[in-house]
């Protein structure tokens, strides 16, 4: 079963101190005032934080899943994800958690080691 915009919303808001706020006519999800996921206006894809140095590998390995909007994403540490290409909600949760970890304040990340794999 394909993941949906509602899955994005539920998972994003389940992460610590996350909130939803519209921007550019689209739902965005934030932590510490920083956007960590933006839902496309057609609900078919999301933008998430991704280090620039990791993008080329993701784009080459899974072009059906990951993409960039030429001229828009080039200068930012973001990548786009097609929701229909995700395997399941667990994969979506992993992607959203990774993006959250990049945007969240260090103190908040430190308070939730279970999210970064640093627990016990």
């Amino acid at each position: 079963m394909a993941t949906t915009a509602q899955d994005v919303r539920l998972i994003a808001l389940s992460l610590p101190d996350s909130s939803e706020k519209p921007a550019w006519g689209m739902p965005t999800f934030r932590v510490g005032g920083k956007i960590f996921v933006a839902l496309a206006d057609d609900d078919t894809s999301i933008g998430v934080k991704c280090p620039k140095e990791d993008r080329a590998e993701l784009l080459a390995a899974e072009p059906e899943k990951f993409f960039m909007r030429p001229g828009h994403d080039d200068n930012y540490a973001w990548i786009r994800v097609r929701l229909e290409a995700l395997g399941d909600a667990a994969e979506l949760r992993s992607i959203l958690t990774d993006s959250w970890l990049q945007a969240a304040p260090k103190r908040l990340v430190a308070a939730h080691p279970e999210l970064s794999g640093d627990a016990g």
Side-chain angles (χ1 to χ4, degrees):
M1 192 167 127
T3 55
T4 66
Q6 187 59 22
D7 295 327
V8 172
R9 180 170 279 108
L10 291 172
I11 294 170
L13 292 174
S14 75
L15 295 167
D17 290 355
S18 296
S19 62
E20 182 175 348
K21 182 178 179 183
W24 312 288
M26 300 177 292
T28 65
F29 301 88
R30 300 165 187 250
V31 60
K34 294 182 181 177
I35 297 172
F36 70 95
V37 62
L39 190 60
D41 55 6
D42 63 2
D43 289 352
T44 63
S45 65
I46 56 174
V48 293
K49 294 190 72 62
C50 178
K52 288 182 183 181
E53 58 273 12
D54 295 345
R55 292 190 307 201
E57 184 177 338
L58 289 170
L59 294 166
E62 298 184 88
E64 72 289 347
K65 187 179 296 180
F66 299 104
F67 68 103
M68 290 178 53
R69 235 173 51 199
H72 184 269
D73 297 330
D74 303 334
N75 298 319
Y76 302 98
W78 283 82
I79 196 164
R80 311 276 169 157
V81 184
R82 291 179 184 89
L83 294 178
E84 68 182 11
L86 294 176
D88 57 21
E91 184 177 16
L92 175 61
R93 178 173 290 282
S94 176
I95 289 168
L96 295 181
T97 300
D98 187 57
S99 187
W100 182 92
L101 287 166
Q102 293 174 66
K106 290 180 182 176
R107 62 161 178 75
L108 190 56
V109 171
H112 295 279
E114 73 282 3
L115 295 177
S116 62
D118 292 341

